[in-house]
Amino acid sequence: MTTLDRRKFLKVAGAGGAATAVAACDQPTAPAVHEAMPNLSWRMTSSFPKSLDTIYGAAETFARVVREMTDGRFQIQVFAGGEIVGGLQAADAVTDGTVEMAHTASYYYWGK
């Protein structure tokens, strides 16, 4: 696929995504669904230390946006690598049920 083909594909895909978003905004909201949503509190372990503020900060931003979008009903507490499990064990912690979410890179688990 050439660069021109990729650009054309991205334009079409972007236009389709925008149209879907606009169509979704026109749908009436269902307050009963919103009120029925339970309060959730999940823990997310990251593979990255807090000192990598750009990468680690993405997890904190994600948690903040989810909290705001759900009016505080879905809380995600982010833990840096090493606070709950080692950085290279983040996905394993989800598999084992230690935490509900992981913020990691898939290439850390290439051989699994």
Side-chain angles (χ1 to χ4, degrees), residues 1 3 5-6 17 19 25 32 35 60 70 76-78 87:
M1 183 179 260
T3 303
D5 291 337
R6 276 186 244 137
C25 290
E35 291 174 9
E60 290 182 324
T70 61
I76 300 171
Q77 187 176 6
V78 183

Side-chain angles (χ1 to χ4, degrees), residues 58-109:
E60 290 182 324
T61 300
F62 175 78
R64 180 183 49 80
V65 169
V66 169
R67 183 180 61 248
E68 290 171 358
M69 289 175 56
T70 61
D71 293 327
R73 293 180 183 261
F74 190 173
Q75 300 280 334
I76 300 171
Q77 187 176 6
V78 183
F79 295 90
E83 289 185 338
I84 296 179
V85 296
L88 299 179
Q89 299 160 339
D92 296 329
V94 175
T95 302
D96 297 340
T98 305
V99 293
E100 292 81 15
M101 302 174 75
H103 172 240
T104 189
S106 61
Y107 51 79
Y108 290 149
Y109 304 94

